Amino acid sequence: MKALIPAAGLGTRFLPATKAQPKEMMLVVDRPAIQYVVEEGLASTADEVVIINSPYKTAIEDHFKPHPNLVKTLRARGKDDLAAKVEHVSSLNVSYVYQCDALGLGHAIYCAHEKTGDEPFFVLLGDVLVPDNNILPAMQAVSNEHGGASVIAAMPVPEDQVSRFGIIAGEPVSEGVWKVDSLVEKPSVDEAPSNLAVFGRYLLTPRVMELLAEAKPTVEGEIQLTDALDALLQEEEMYALIVDPEDGFDTGTVDTWIETNNILYQRRKAQKTCCPQ
Ligand code: G1P
């Protein structure tokens, strides 16, 4: 089973910061954002993390490559802890496929269809960070309870933000789990069927890849994953796991990126100052 991380986007919400530096490489406390996401994918039941990259965003691949000279220099200076951090990054098992044109999230995911084959797969969007790596296992458990159905993460958002997200309609079936009836990408407040936003984590059946092969551009002129998921509902059941705001953090806008940095920095400081139990 693969975990796919789409990373070929243009990072427009962060321009001009993302003109030369990929958005995925922006610092969150002590690591580039994408490192959290790769670590989360590898901590799940996935056996491989596949980054769907743009050929122009070479900094992402440089980050995960070995850097023996840097490690040697750090060790020679007695900075073994830093050398270990550098070695850890290049020990993460990542592979790449490429999306040459930014034609939308649905198109990006389809670029990895040869990797996923006829298996279910995870999708992890880089805008969402899950520092405790606990959402994918919870989604897998919901899928197992419902015969291997697709499961998406969702989170309530304020009304004035529904137009930034994919929004679901459905009904609760158990504590923190909804059965999804339909999905709509970036609706206006008036058209939104709820305030439950698709929150950057998906566990999908292989049928989604077949639907993406035929998907046409819609909202914002892009091929949308949300449309393929809405089409999937004609054939298969789908569930949504409602994510606790303590577990998942959005970094998709400058405001939420700064807020997430603040929260995770305070958390790290609190961990460091705690007495050993
Ligand atoms: C994407 C998805 C959207 C989802 C959002 C979560 O939108 O298309 O359905 O709610 O991620 O972060 P994007 O942020 O790429 O515009």
Side-chain angles (χ1 to χ4, degrees):
M1 182 175 185
K2 310 290 180 241
L4 311 181
I5 304 179
L10 301 174
T12 46
R13 288 192 284 250
F14 284 79
L15 283 167
T18 47
K19 178 168 174 281
Q21 179 196 215
K23 180 180 75 176
E24 294 77 8
M25 289 302 295
M26 288 180 54
L27 185 70
V28 178
V29 184
D30 62 352
R31 279 168 274 172
I34 196 164
Q35 189 179 325
Y36 289 83
V37 187
V38 167
E39 287 169 339
E40 181 192 350
L42 290 172
S44 75
T45 45
D47 53 31
E48 188 182 353
V49 166
V50 181
I51 295 180
I52 301 150
N53 200 8
S54 146
Y56 307 110
K57 291 165 81 169
T58 50
I60 293 177
E61 291 177 45
D62 288 344
H63 183 65
F64 293 104
K65 274 183 194 158
H67 197 331
N69 282 344
L70 176 58
V71 171
K72 201 171 141 199
T73 305
L74 290 168
R75 293 219 186 275
R77 294 182 184 176
K79 297 182 189 299
D80 289 330
D81 52 338
L82 293 179
K85 284 185 184 174
V86 173
E87 284 184 318
H88 163 70
V89 179
S90 48
S91 75
L92 299 170
N93 186 16
V94 191
S95 68
Y96 301 90
V97 297
Y98 296 93
Q99 183 193 27
C100 294
D101 297 303
L103 298 179
L105 178 59
H107 178 259
I109 301 304
Y110 185 69
C111 291
H113 71 279
E114 286 180 4
K115 286 276 189 180
T116 57
D118 56 6
E119 289 186 340
F121 56 94
F122 287 114
V123 175
L124 290 75
L125 302 190
D127 280 352
V128 167
L129 303 186
V130 182
D132 294 335
N133 303 333
N134 54 348
I135 293 180
L136 298 182
M139 290 168 66
Q140 182 72 65
V142 174
S143 177
N144 294 349
E145 271 167 36
H146 294 280
S150 293
V151 180
I152 56 181
M155 195 185 270
V157 294
E159 264 205 349
D160 63 347
Q161 284 185 35
V162 292
S163 62
R164 251 195 69 206
F165 295 99
I167 301 292
I168 67 167
E171 291 196 348
V173 288
S174 56
E175 180 73 31
V177 179
W178 282 44
K179 186 164 184 297
V180 181
D181 292 335
S182 66
L183 297 102
V184 52
E185 182 66 15
K186 300 188 173 64
S188 64
V189 184
D190 302 337
E191 289 163 351
S194 75
N195 71 335
L196 281 178
V198 179
F199 194 64
R201 295 293 178 271
Y202 308 75
L203 167 53
L204 302 176
T205 62
R207 177 70 182 134
V208 175
M209 280 296 182
E210 294 171 3
L211 292 166
L212 284 173
E214 296 151 21
K216 299 276 177 296
T218 57
V219 178
E220 297 183 340
E222 296 190 342
I223 297 175
Q224 298 289 351
L225 177 60
T226 301
D227 293 340
L229 299 185
D230 195 48
L232 183 74
L233 284 168
Q234 306 301 316
E235 306 174 19
E236 297 180 9
E237 290 186 347
M238 186 187 301
Y239 293 84
L241 175 75
I242 313 303
V243 168
D244 185 330
E246 293 284 303
D247 290 333
F249 299 90
D250 181 43
T251 63
T253 66
V254 172
D255 284 355
T256 60
W257 176 74
I258 290 171
E259 275 167 30
T260 294
N261 263 285
N262 284 335
I263 294 167
L264 297 186
Y265 177 65
Q266 293 304 336
R267 260 196 197 184
R268 198 177 71 151
K269 256 189 12 187
Q271 279 165 0
K272 278 193 170 167
T273 52
C274 269
C275 302
Q277 299 291 309

